Amino acid sequence: MTFYIISISLLAFVAIYALMGVWAERKISALIQDRVGPVETGKFGLLQTFADIIKLLQKEDIVPTTADKVLFTLAPVLVFTSVFMGFAVLPFSPAYISSNINIGLFYFMAIISIEVVGILMAGWASNNKYAFLGSIRSIAQIIAYEIPAGIAVLSAVMIYQSLNLQEIAFQQGIYAKSDIYFFGFWKVNTVGGFLSWGVFQAPHLFVAAIIYFIASLAEANRTPFDIPEAESELVAGFHVEYSGFKFGALFLAEYAMMFLTSMVLVILFFGAWYSPLPNIAKVQLAEWTNGTYWGIFWILLKTLLIVVLQIWIRWTLPRFRADQLMNFCWKVLIPVSFACLFISAFWKLIVL
Amino acid sequence: MNQSVFYLLSFMTVLFALLVVFSKNPIHSALYMVLTFFTITCHYVLLNAQFLAIVNFIVYMGAIMVLILFAMMFLNLGKDTEPQKPVLLKFAAVIAAGLLLVTIFAALKKTDGGQITGIASNNIGLVKELGKTLFRDFLLPFEIISILLLSAMVGAVLLAKRDTK
């Protein structure tokens, strides 16, 4: 029974988060471009996206006559379920994780690679050259950026010595069972706070975090890596033929993907559900601000901050060209991430 | 419970494998192959080999299948007019397939069915156990495989390299 309650509440959370995410995206873009954004519907335009989704669901669900009908219908389902399945292994607090499997991180990487098949199905089944080109670009990009993302993640895993996301989370604060050091010289098991986060346990993990963040932007098809849906070239990319509920599902999947990758970034590098406040002598801030409900609060706060950062980047940077994108991945990100991996190995052998 | 799941999965694996061969559309058959790999992944999970399951998931369903789909789309295999193969080729194919059947039959005949030994440890499929086994008992084959992969990679780079002339 709790299984159904948890999964349904997660689904509701993802749906509401996606709606608020679209609203936030429009408000932040307005702020950056010196506009006001949506203001008419509800206070500060908060109900705008709810109105939009009601309109979207009422639209006619068009399937092009030349499309492959079965695949066309299945593709959004596959894309959304694969992203949603990723939420199964995320720890929301010390006490709460849906599925505490010992290869959680690897499972997450596998889920991302399944989304690719859904995108390919969508692009091919639409029988539209723009959709097809968009899906090909998207896949080339996701496959290429999975490599630096995977290796950056591995360099963190070498430090934590576990693939279980909950165990990784535990090792970044006051509840850690093994010894943790701030940059390898100051034991911070009792201090906690941001000093014991993954990025501060080893200096090169900060580079790994940045690599993972860049790759996660590419995997969620966000600007500056949004050539799959480059509006000026491809109309709307792989979902150009979609309308109504199916388009809604694809849209939901994109925002859920942003949240998923941001949350994994937070879990691996930025202390998961640990509070950023350290214990200072008698002022035991870390002791006071950690716990089940605090954990949920902190991890959501940190994840949403990363999501805001993604939105900020989208409205600040222009789009990469396809060849620049591949050059950047293969000639910059992958060598740097391998360097991180080697440093991790040496760090584990020599410093700790 | 486990046994009925196993039979269901095996049935689905064989069904999807047959659909790979029998579906007319190459894209459909490739997607059926994804499903076949998926059911095989489920078999690994049943065997408590979680790490192997996920690796199978990533490598076969993610990377290799997408590459196969890509190749199909670029080669434009969608046309119905397949070139007719010469009779000699068909004859050779039948003989090769028949030899494979004989080999499989002989291999199956040698095995003693029904002897199922329990799994030694619950953690057999986990990363640590797998790593220990790989680097202790199977170190030499592991290294040889890595050299094989390296040579394949060098070959791929050589093929893809632009002629400097």
Side-chain angles (χ1 to χ4, degrees):
Chain A
M1 196 60 214
T2 44
F3 171 75
Y4 293 105
I5 292 171
I6 287 169
S7 43
I8 287 168
S9 56
L10 261 181
L11 185 63
F13 168 74
V14 171
I16 290 169
Y17 147 77
L19 288 178
M20 296 319 292
V22 176
W23 176 79
E25 175 123 46
R26 291 176 68 176
K27 272 294 188 192
I28 291 171
S29 72
L31 184 74
I32 288 169
Q33 297 172 346
D34 212 4
R35 296 181 284 115
V36 279
V39 284
E40 293 284 335
T41 330
K43 191 90 174 158
F44 309 118
L46 264 170
L47 295 175
Q48 183 63 49
T49 41
F50 287 91
D52 285 346
I53 200 83
I54 290 169
K55 187 188 118 202
L56 190 65
L57 292 178
Q58 285 171 335
K59 289 255 175 119
E60 189 191 351
D61 201 357
I62 302 166
V63 179
T65 42
T66 50
D68 189 324
K69 303 213 168 35
V70 180
L71 290 187
F72 188 81
T73 316
L74 272 180
V77 180
L78 185 66
V79 171
F80 180 70
T81 40
S82 63
V83 174
F84 186 60
M85 274 165 73
F87 281 83
V89 289
L90 299 184
F92 276 85
S93 82
Y96 173 61
I97 177 169
S98 307
S99 174
N100 197 2
I101 53 174
N102 49 38
I103 40 160
L105 191 59
F106 232 54
Y107 170 87
F108 161 77
M109 306 293 290
I111 286 303
I112 292 179
S113 69
I114 285 313
E115 195 208 1
V116 170
V117 179
I119 289 176
L120 192 67
M121 273 162 69
W124 183 77
S126 301
N127 209 353
N128 173 316
K129 63 181 170 190
Y130 295 119
F132 187 47
L133 275 174
S135 72
I136 282 185
R137 283 181 177 193
S138 173
I139 290 154
Q141 173 179 314
I142 292 178
I143 290 181
Y145 277 81
E146 248 175 33
I147 300 166
I151 293 167
V153 162
L154 265 187
S155 56
V157 167
M158 280 178 106
I159 297 289
Y160 302 129
Q161 299 279 303
S162 171
L163 284 169
N164 183 331
L165 284 172
Q166 185 69 293
E167 272 177 31
I168 289 174
F170 262 107
Q171 286 186 34
Q172 298 177 56
I174 49 171
Y175 301 143
K177 289 182 189 77
S178 51
D179 292 351
I180 42 176
Y181 293 90
F182 176 78
F183 286 156
F185 62 83
W186 175 29
K187 195 174 170 201
V188 285
N189 278 48
T190 50
V191 180
F194 68 92
L195 295 168
S196 55
W197 286 2
V199 283
F200 294 114
Q201 287 187 18
H204 67 279
L205 282 191
F206 207 81
V207 181
I210 291 170
I211 291 172
Y212 179 76
F213 178 68
I214 293 171
S216 75
L217 283 179
E219 279 169 356
N221 291 331
R222 299 281 302 180
T223 320
F225 306 102
D226 72 334
I227 56 158
E229 39 194 285
E231 294 90 349
S232 48
E233 304 157 33
L234 293 179
V235 193
F238 66 91
H239 51 61
V240 65
E241 293 287 359
Y242 282 92
S243 60
F245 179 73
K246 288 177 200 143
F247 177 76
L250 286 173
F251 210 65
L252 198 63
E254 188 192 321
Y255 277 84
M257 185 75 178
M258 277 167 69
F259 190 84
L260 188 66
T261 51
S262 307
M263 192 148 161
V264 170
L265 178 72
V266 167
I267 291 167
L268 283 176
F269 299 104
F270 294 102
W273 31 256
Y274 277 114
S275 141
L277 307 169
N279 284 333
I280 307 162
K282 282 281 169 61
V283 192
Q284 302 275 312
L285 283 173
E287 300 283 348
W288 299 337
T289 56
N290 272 319
T292 306
Y293 297 106
W294 278 107
I296 295 175
F297 168 73
W298 287 120
I299 198 163
L300 288 185
L301 181 73
K302 287 184 216 169
T303 310
L304 291 177
L305 279 177
I306 303 277
V307 170
V308 167
L309 186 63
Q310 288 185 337
I311 294 173
W312 183 9
I313 285 174
R314 170 166 177 187
W315 295 99
T316 317
L317 296 178
R319 185 182 300 138
F320 266 123
R321 229 169 44 215
D323 59 323
Q324 290 172 334
L325 184 121
M326 285 298 162
N327 268 339
F328 183 59
C329 177
W330 292 99
K331 293 183 181 166
V332 180
L333 285 186
I334 290 183
V336 175
S337 59
F338 267 114
C340 279
L341 190 68
F342 287 130
I343 296 172
S344 266
F346 283 117
W347 189 270
K348 201 69 198 168
L349 284 176
I350 295 166
V351 182
L352 291 181
Chain B
M1 170 62 192
N2 253 357
Q3 203 165 26
S4 50
V5 171
F6 169 76
Y7 281 120
L8 180 70
L9 278 177
S10 307
F11 170 72
M12 279 163 74
T13 312
V14 175
L15 178 75
F16 290 135
L18 285 176
L19 281 171
V20 172
V21 184
F22 290 123
S23 54
K24 281 249 162 69
N25 191 326
I27 301 293
H28 286 179
S29 77
L31 288 171
Y32 280 126
M33 207 156 147
V34 171
L35 283 175
T36 315
F37 285 136
F38 181 71
T39 46
I40 291 173
T41 302
C42 295
H43 274 299
Y44 280 127
V45 175
L46 268 189
L47 290 171
N48 206 14
Q50 303 171 8
F51 181 71
L52 260 183
I54 297 291
V55 168
N56 190 51
F57 211 84
I58 293 180
V59 174
Y60 283 95
M61 278 178 76
I64 290 185
M65 263 338 283
V66 169
L67 287 181
I68 289 176
L69 281 172
F70 252 123
M72 278 180 175
M73 286 173 178
F74 285 131
L75 290 176
N76 199 15
L77 285 173
K79 295 196 187 85
D80 286 332
T81 53
E82 249 182 70
Q84 281 293 317
K85 305 264 186 343
V87 183
L88 190 69
L89 211 63
K90 283 179 182 171
F91 211 68
V94 168
I95 290 173
L99 283 175
L100 183 66
L101 184 73
V102 169
T103 317
I104 290 173
F105 184 74
L108 279 177
K109 204 167 161 259
K110 288 269 174 177
T111 57
D112 53 336
Q115 280 286 330
I116 299 166
T117 47
I119 296 171
S121 136
N122 265 341
N123 303 328
I124 192 109
L126 307 188
V127 190
K128 248 180 201 149
E129 296 295 315
L130 195 72
K132 274 180 191 162
T133 317
L134 261 187
F135 286 101
R136 195 195 294 141
D137 304 342
F138 298 98
L139 186 59
L140 187 66
F142 181 79
E143 293 297 333
I144 291 172
I145 286 174
S146 69
I147 290 170
L148 187 73
L149 283 177
L150 183 70
S151 61
M153 202 166 81
V154 170
V157 169
L158 257 182
L159 281 178
K161 219 176 148 194
R162 196 177 290 152
D163 253 341
T164 41
K165 271 184 283 183

